[in-house]
Amino acid sequence: MISVEHVYKSVTDSSGTLHILRDIDFTVPQQQTLAIVGASGSGKSTLLSIIAGLDKPTRGTVWLAGQDLFSLDEDDRAQLRAQQIGFVFQSFQLLGNLTALENVMLPLELSGRSDARAAATEMLSRVGLGERLRHYPKVLSGGEQQRVALARAFVTQPAVLLADEPTGSLDFATGEKVMALMFDLNRELGTTLVLVTHDPAIAQRCERRILIEAGQVAG
């Protein structure tokens, strides 16, 4: 499903060149759950952004569902993301002027789905928020906001889910509940999951783990 081929990422400014990623090379089969682990600043979030096609590598490429991401222009990459990828972020990334229902409907509406309201309502009910459809993010708890984000990520039934520190803004107990829900939905829908985390307990839930140290695969 995903093939990361000899990816390097460097940035240069007046102070010199910083090498963020160096020769990252691995594949992720369909429906596998993979944790990318490492200390803060190790390059793992940059790697996830490159896998998503949101950031470009200095060298190397990423294949997603048989397509070379960086042979596409930005518009085509955005279209492929909309078709194939769901995202869950540490900071939820909900639109504050939209209700929970409208946040989950948005990706469906952008793809032209005529059943956006019904599908979004069903998915919010599945994550336990059937009574919170018309609430705005500011009146939802952190755990509720992350469940809205999960519903939005899964409602399009993406082939790939990319999650960047999805419990980083939550307390331990709430984070545990959110992670259990995410893995349950992932198994149910047969999604390929790539998860960035610094939490060993979360990483252990995945079938496979890759350790990034100083921009390189260390194990």
Side-chain angles (χ1 to χ4, degrees):
M1 179 55 70
I2 301 168
S3 180
V4 179
E5 297 188 348
H6 301 291
V7 162
Y8 292 74
K9 179 66 177 181
S10 302
V11 294
T12 302
D13 59 20
S14 59
S15 63
T17 299
L18 174 64
H19 300 289
I20 301 172
L21 296 173
R22 307 183 193 196
D23 199 20
I24 306 294
D25 192 85
F26 63 88
T27 60
V28 187
Q30 189 172 2
Q31 298 187 15
Q32 186 174 74
T33 57
L34 168 69
I36 299 174
V37 298
S40 178
S42 61
K44 58 189 187 297
S45 290
T46 299
L47 175 57
L48 196 71
S49 292
I50 289 173
I51 292 172
L54 294 168
D55 193 3
K56 287 185 176 182
T58 305
R59 290 165 51 192
T61 196
V62 174
W63 291 77
L64 175 66
Q67 176 65 61
D68 180 351
L69 279 181
F70 300 104
S71 69
L72 303 174
D73 62 25
E74 288 189 18
D75 288 343
D76 287 340
R77 281 201 302 276
Q79 184 177 7
L80 185 63
R81 277 194 297 274
Q83 294 170 346
Q84 299 283 355
I85 300 177
F87 294 94
V88 180
F89 302 96
Q90 175 178 339
S91 56
F92 317 136
Q93 298 289 336
L94 302 178
L95 297 177
N97 62 326
L98 300 181
T99 65
L101 179 60
E102 290 166 342
N103 266 283
V104 178
M105 286 173 62
L106 186 59
L108 298 172
E109 292 177 325
L110 291 174
S111 66
R113 286 268 296 270
S114 60
D115 63 339
R117 180 172 294 274
T121 299
E122 179 184 358
M123 184 58 72
L124 281 165
S125 295
R126 290 171 74 179
V127 301
L129 294 176
E131 303 300 317
R132 307 283 269 168
L133 302 180
R134 293 174 177 81
H135 289 73
Y136 290 89
K138 66 182 180 181
V139 298
L140 299 175
S141 69
E144 288 172 332
Q145 289 185 62
Q146 195 60 298
R147 281 189 277 157
V148 174
L150 284 176
R152 182 184 59 188
F154 280 110
V155 74
T156 59
Q157 300 192 6
V160 174
L161 180 71
L162 303 179
D164 191 0
E165 300 284 6
T167 63
S169 296
L170 305 175
D171 63 77
F172 176 79
T174 303
E176 284 288 296
K177 292 176 183 176
V178 166
M179 290 307 301
L181 177 60
M182 187 176 79
F183 279 99
D184 285 347
L185 287 170
N186 196 72
R187 281 191 296 270
E188 182 180 337
L189 297 176
T191 306
T192 303
L193 171 65
V194 179
L195 168 71
V196 162
T197 185
H198 67 275
D199 187 332
I202 292 175
Q204 286 296 323
R205 295 186 184 216
C206 293
E207 297 167 328
R208 180 181 168 205
R209 287 159 294 282
I210 291 177
L211 173 63
I212 304 293
E213 289 183 351
Q216 295 179 292
V217 174

